[in-house]
Amino acid sequence: MPVRLFNLRNVPEDEANEIRGLLNENGIDFYETHAGGWGISAPAFWLSDDVQQEKAEGLVEAYQQKRAEDAREAYAALRREGRAPTWAGNIVRHPLRFLLLVAFVLFI
């Protein structure tokens, strides 16, 4: 019975490509479904059966932990350099959006 390994909805293309490569490098037999023309199907990586499920899930979990650590390190580096996004910085970059949001909140 097919097993959904990894949901691809809202996943960046670079992450999907890296997981494809990871599964191929480790000899995991998988197939991919797409969201379809209307975007209502389930885009995902699927295993044909559950024989390699544990190994595949372990690989994907380790990959996601590494990706999360890398993202945290990149954000920490931006903070050290003073280039991390802040509320004040967003208001300065997008003052009209901020004013419209405040007007909407006051309207409600």
Side-chain angles (χ1 to χ4, degrees), residues 25-108:
E25 287 171 8
N26 287 282
I28 305 290
D29 185 33
F30 71 98
Y31 62 95
E32 183 175 347
T33 55
H34 300 280
W38 293 341
I40 58 174
S41 295
F45 290 134
W46 297 78
L47 301 176
S48 301
D49 53 40
D50 58 358
V51 172
Q52 295 181 315
Q53 181 179 1
E54 189 174 316
K55 179 181 177 184
E57 287 175 348
L59 290 169
V60 170
E61 184 175 332
Y63 167 78
Q64 287 184 315
Q65 287 177 353
K66 171 101 172 67
R67 186 172 173 97
E69 289 171 12
D70 292 346
R72 281 191 288 275
E73 289 173 8
Y75 180 72
L78 287 175
R79 286 191 62 166
R80 282 191 301 274
E81 297 168 6
R83 297 186 304 135
T86 63
W87 258 79
N90 286 334
I91 292 170
V92 168
R93 276 192 303 280
H94 307 286
L96 183 60
R97 184 188 313 172
F98 176 72
L99 292 174
L100 290 173
L101 181 62
V102 169
F104 180 72
V105 168
L106 291 175
F107 175 75
I108 291 177

Side-chain angles (χ1 to χ4, degrees), residues 5-8 11 13-26 30 45 56 59-60 63-64 67:
L5 175 65
F6 187 76
N7 185 359
L8 290 172
V11 172
E13 191 61 32
D14 68 314
E15 183 175 3
N17 287 336
E18 289 174 0
I19 291 177
R20 277 184 203 99
L22 178 69
L23 294 173
N24 285 327
E25 287 171 8
N26 287 282
F30 71 98
F45 290 134
L59 290 169
V60 170
Y63 167 78
Q64 287 184 315
R67 186 172 173 97

